C-alpha cells in the first residue's frame, strides 16, 4: 500500500515514486465510466503535493482560510479530463 511509505524517509525522496503512484491512481480513477472531474484539497504549505497536482493537469480553483480551524487553511484543486 503506497500510504505505508513513511513520507519523511529520505531514502524514498527524489525517485519519482510519488509520480508513479499518482499516475497509477489517476488512471484508475479516470477509467471509471462517466467520470471526468477529480477534486483534491491540501494545506497551502504543502508545496510538493501542490506542484505534483499542477504538473499533472490540476488547477487551483479556490482557497479557504481556516477551513478546519485556526491555521488550517486549504487549497482546492480540480482536474477535468477531455
Amino acid at each position: 500500500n503506497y500510504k505505508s511509505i513513511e513520507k519523511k524517509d529520505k531514502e524514498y525522496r527524489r525517485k519519482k515514486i510519488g509520480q508513479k503512484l499518482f499516475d497509477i491512481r489517476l488512471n484508475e480513477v479516470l477509467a471509471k465510466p462517466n467520470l471526468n472531474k477529480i477534486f483534491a484539497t491540501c494545506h497551502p504549505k504543502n508545496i510538493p503535493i501542490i506542484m505534483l497536482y499542477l504538473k499533472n493537469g490540476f488547477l487551483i480553483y479556490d482557497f479557504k482560510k481556516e477551513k478546519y480551524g485556526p491555521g488550517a487553511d486549504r487549497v482546492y484543486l480540480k482536474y477535468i479530463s477531455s
Side-chain angles (χ1 to χ4, degrees):
N1 186 336
Y2 70 91
K3 292 179 184 176
S4 66
I5 295 174
E6 174 58 45
K7 67 180 178 180
K8 294 182 180 174
D9 192 338
K10 293 180 181 177
E11 176 185 347
Y12 296 106
R13 293 185 184 173
R14 306 269 183 225
K15 297 195 186 276
K16 304 276 185 198
I17 294 170
Q19 181 64 58
K20 290 174 186 172
L21 294 170
F22 192 92
D23 290 344
I24 290 167
R25 190 64 182 138
L26 184 64
N27 288 330
E28 286 174 355
V29 171
L30 292 175
K32 297 189 182 296
N34 302 318
L35 190 131
N36 66 347
K37 294 179 189 171
I38 302 171
F39 295 90
T41 183
C42 65
H43 193 280
K45 290 184 180 177
N46 192 346
I47 302 301
I49 194 66
I50 292 171
M51 296 307 295
L52 182 66
Y53 281 125
L54 294 175
K55 182 174 127 180
N56 286 281
F58 281 72
L59 301 172
I60 295 173
Y61 73 92
D62 201 1
F63 172 84
K64 298 212 187 277
K65 186 145 184 72
E66 300 184 343
K67 172 69 176 170
Y68 300 114
D73 303 339
R74 303 307 287 174
V75 170
Y76 293 85
L77 304 103
K78 66 181 171 182
Y79 176 91
I80 301 173
S81 66
S82 44

